[in-house]
Amino acid sequence: MKEFILFFSLFFSGYLSAYSADNSSIINFVEKTQKSVSANFYNSANYKGKECMIKVTLSDDGELISAVVDDRNEKNDQELCDAGIEIIKETTFTAPPEGKRISNKNTFYIDFRP
């Protein structure tokens, strides 16, 4: 059985503060989120060449509040979006970084591009 790597990006809807010298908590959150989501994406080969952007909102303790397709991306593939939302629902998230480094710290986008 071949193993596939899921490539995706996290985009925070807020911004990083210019005076924030230590971004390690943000980097740690992104790395953990990427690993958690990737671990649940078993059949990524079925979606090769497709993409989907999903807006994710978490509570302060990392519980999923919502996962919705971002309709601004005209290239969203409905099947991949459906699979992406199911994967996100199965994912265990860590709590978002604390502090004022990110505006709207609990909302971010996952761009699935297997």
Side-chain angles (χ1 to χ4, degrees):
M1 177 168 69
K2 291 185 177 180
E3 291 185 25
F4 294 91
I5 299 173
L6 167 66
F7 292 100
F8 68 89
S9 310
L10 293 177
F11 300 98
F12 291 95
S13 60
Y15 58 90
L16 297 179
S17 171
Y19 55 83
S20 176
D22 181 19
N23 292 329
S24 61
S25 63
I26 296 167
I27 293 168
N28 190 34
F29 174 74
V30 169
E31 288 175 349
K32 286 182 180 179
T33 300
Q34 287 176 331
K35 286 178 185 176
S36 295
V37 172
S38 294
N40 290 326
F41 201 174
Y42 306 109
N43 57 351
S44 61
N46 296 345
Y47 306 101
K48 187 174 182 176
K50 299 178 181 181
E51 64 183 80
C52 181
M53 178 82 72
I54 299 176
K55 180 180 179 181
V56 178
T57 304
L58 303 178
S59 67
D60 285 340
D61 60 357
E63 294 295 319
L64 180 66
I65 293 173
S66 68
V68 295
V69 175
D70 183 6
D71 292 331
R72 296 177 294 174
N73 184 354
E74 297 174 1
K75 296 179 181 179
N76 284 339
D77 177 77
Q78 188 60 50
E79 288 183 37
L80 177 57
C81 291
D82 291 344
I85 288 175
E86 287 303 312
I87 290 165
I88 290 168
K89 288 179 180 178
E90 296 172 4
T91 299
T92 302
F93 293 94
T94 60
E98 292 184 21
K100 297 183 179 179
R101 292 191 187 117
I102 303 173
S103 174
N104 297 324
K105 67 177 178 165
N106 297 353
T107 300
F108 54 93
Y109 295 83
I110 299 179
D111 186 14
F112 287 90
R113 294 178 188 226

